[in-house]
Amino acid sequence: NNWHIHKATKGGGQMLIGVAGRGWYQEEGKQTRLKPGNCAFIAARQMAQVTACPSSDNVFRAVMLSLPRCFVSEFYHTLRHDSFTYDGMGWTGFSLLPNRPEFQSLFQSLRPYRDASGTIPASLCRLKMAEGIYALLNTDRRFFITLFGDLIDGNLDILDVLNESISNEMSWRAI
């Protein structure tokens, strides 16, 4: 896969889970090995690439779930803000997530769609994005700043949000 920047310019990010094979996540000065079952979060604006391991006999396969800023903005307005603290720094770059049931179930429930090469309905995609955000927030409160920092600071361009589509935010990738 080529080096790329995750397209959301404010807020958002992407989650992935390794499904088969072995892979590498690479960003400037950092490299992390990925294997089936590993779940990770990649912050928006991060220059990165995901590749198969050169020594691996298998292609690295992953399920990717984007968290676009238009959805993140909408989600933010449904939260009770008094239950979150805004202090400190958010995550930047890549975070290998702990092996917790909420991350595993987030992606396992999509297996029938992947196995049938089916299209995921938009309503299910939105549900999975919300589930992913809740799982991140319940794992580490620093994800609050990573996901919603631009909304808290008032730096979000509402015209960008209105023009952004949330279709095709989930994909199966063979790398």
Side-chain angles (χ1 to χ4, degrees):
N1 207 0
N2 296 326
W3 286 91
H4 62 282
I5 294 178
H6 292 274
K7 64 183 177 180
T9 57
K10 297 175 181 157
Q14 186 177 63
M15 295 176 71
L16 73 83
I17 189 167
V19 176
R22 301 216 181 265
W24 287 104
Y25 168 84
Q26 296 172 304
E27 64 185 52
E28 189 174 329
K30 185 177 181 180
Q31 189 170 8
T32 304
R33 188 173 210 151
L34 300 170
K35 60 185 181 184
N38 283 154
C39 191
F41 175 79
I42 304 164
R45 302 179 298 273
Q46 181 61 45
M47 175 71 81
Q49 74 172 345
V50 178
T51 61
C53 287
S55 61
S56 177
D57 293 337
N58 295 330
V59 172
F60 179 65
R61 296 186 189 284
V63 177
M64 311 264 189
L65 173 63
S66 293
L67 301 171
R69 63 186 170 187
C70 63
F71 181 81
V72 169
S73 175
E74 181 183 320
F75 186 90
Y76 173 77
H77 294 292
T78 68
L79 293 175
R80 284 190 39 200
H81 299 166
D82 59 349
S83 62
F84 295 96
T85 59
Y86 310 132
D87 299 355
M89 297 292 294
W91 287 105
T92 59
F94 175 84
S95 302
L96 192 59
L97 300 169
N99 188 5
R100 293 178 50 167
E102 52 265 56
F103 293 120
Q104 298 302 316
S105 69
L106 170 68
F107 292 102
Q108 288 299 325
S109 62
L110 296 169
R111 179 173 237 145
Y113 293 93
R114 186 191 77 212
D115 293 346
S117 298
T119 302
I120 299 171
S123 58
L124 179 60
C125 193
R126 292 177 66 78
L127 177 66
K128 291 298 167 183
M129 288 188 284
E131 189 179 338
I133 291 173
Y134 276 124
L136 289 169
L137 294 175
N138 287 326
T139 297
D140 191 318
R141 295 298 175 156
R142 288 177 284 185
F143 283 114
F144 189 87
I145 295 296
T146 302
L147 292 167
F148 307 121
D150 294 314
L151 294 164
I152 296 165
D153 297 338
N155 294 329
L156 190 65
D157 184 344
I158 194 66
L159 292 176
D160 285 345
V161 170
L162 292 173
N163 291 326
E164 190 174 1
S165 168
I166 64 162
S167 62
N168 300 321
E169 297 305 335
M170 192 160 270
S171 61
W172 327 120
R173 300 276 171 91
I175 301 167

